[in-house]
Amino acid sequence: MDIYGANGHAKVIIEIIEELDYEVSNIYDDDLSISTTLDYSVNSVYNSSTNLFIAIGNNLVRREFVRKFVRKFNISTYPILIHPKAVISKRATIKEGTVIMTGVSVNSEVKIGKHCIINTNASIDHDCIIDDFAHISPNVALAGNVEVGEGTHVGIGACVIQGVRIGKWCTIGAGAVVIKDIPDGATVVGNPGRIIKIKDINE
C-alpha cells in the first residue's frame, strides 16, 4: 500500500498498516525536508498508484489532495483502514479512505463517510452520521443519532449529547460539551458549548 503524507498522522497510519500485515510500498510527501519517517524512505515525486491512502490530518488539505488525485491521476477509490483493536458493529457503514484507530467503538447503524479520521478511543454510538472529511479526535464521545457535517473537526475529549446536528466545516474545541445544534462553519468551546465565531464556508 502506498501512503501520501509523512508527518505525525502518517506514522499512525503506517503502524495500522503494519498491524494489519499489509506492506507499506511507498511513502510520498511534498515536503523535501522529509527523507524518512519511522523506518521508511519518503519520496517527493508521486507515481500513480491503485492502492493509495492519503495520510494527511488537516481535513481541508486532505480534501484538496483527493480532488487533485482525481484530476491528475484519475484515482477515485481508496482503501479503508481499521485497527484490529477497534470494535465496529457489523451494521455500521464505513466508506473509502477512512481510518479508524485503536480503541474506537462504533455502534449499530453508524454511517461514516469518505476520508474521515476516527481517532484513538473515540466512541460513536448508534445511528450517528459522520460526513466526508470529518475528524473525530481521541476520546470524543458522540451519543446516539448525532450528525457531524463534512470537514468538521471534533476536538479531543469533546462530548455531544444525543440527537445533535453539527454542521459542515465546524471546529468543536477540546473538551467542549455540545448540547444543541451547531450551524455550518461555527467554532464551539466550553461546557456547555458556546459559539465564539462563524466562518463563511463558501469562501
Side-chain angles (χ1 to χ4, degrees):
M1 184 179 300
D2 290 351
I3 298 172
Y4 203 96
N7 285 295
H9 179 59
K11 294 177 181 179
V12 183
I13 298 300
I14 289 167
E15 291 193 344
I16 292 173
I17 292 170
E18 292 173 338
E19 287 282 344
L20 294 169
D21 291 326
Y22 299 155
E23 178 183 357
V24 177
S25 301
N26 300 287
I27 300 175
Y28 302 96
D29 198 287
D30 289 346
D31 188 344
L32 298 178
S33 70
I34 304 175
S35 60
T36 61
T37 189
L38 299 183
D39 303 319
Y40 299 93
S41 296
V42 177
N43 303 304
S44 59
V45 179
Y46 174 69
N47 296 311
S48 182
S49 168
T50 57
N51 197 21
L52 175 70
F53 194 89
I54 299 179
I56 296 173
N58 182 288
N59 295 344
L60 184 59
V61 175
R62 190 165 64 258
R63 186 184 69 173
E64 292 311 305
F65 268 92
V66 170
R67 291 177 174 179
K68 171 185 174 180
F69 289 143
V70 169
R71 291 193 308 268
K72 192 170 182 180
F73 300 108
N74 200 31
I75 298 173
S76 57
T77 59
Y78 294 85
I80 297 166
L81 294 178
I82 300 175
H83 194 285
K85 292 184 179 178
V87 179
I88 311 296
S89 167
K90 65 182 180 182
R91 293 182 173 85
T93 302
I94 302 164
K95 292 188 177 180
E96 65 182 43
T98 285
V99 59
I100 296 183
M101 297 182 181
T102 187
V104 167
S105 295
V106 175
N107 284 331
S108 186
E109 297 201 325
V110 167
K111 295 178 175 61
I112 300 174
K114 298 178 182 179
H115 300 282
C116 294
I117 300 170
I118 312 299
N119 221 318
T120 309
N121 295 324
S123 175
I124 302 177
D125 217 327
H126 64 87
D127 298 294
C128 287
I129 299 173
I130 314 297
D131 209 347
D132 300 348
F133 303 104
H135 182 175
I136 309 300
S137 294
N139 295 307
V140 165
L142 304 183
N145 292 289
V146 168
E147 296 184 27
V148 177
E150 178 189 17
T152 284
H153 184 181
V154 182
I156 190 167
C159 300
V160 184
I161 68 166
Q162 65 275 10
V164 165
R165 182 192 178 279
I166 299 173
K168 301 177 181 179
W169 299 99
C170 295
T171 300
I172 308 302
V177 178
V178 182
I179 61 173
K180 60 182 180 181
D181 290 356
I182 304 298
D184 294 349
T187 297
V188 176
V189 299
N191 178 8
R194 67 187 188 281
I195 297 170
I196 59 171
K197 65 178 178 180
I198 297 179
K199 64 183 178 183
D200 183 355
I201 64 171
N202 297 311
E203 290 179 345

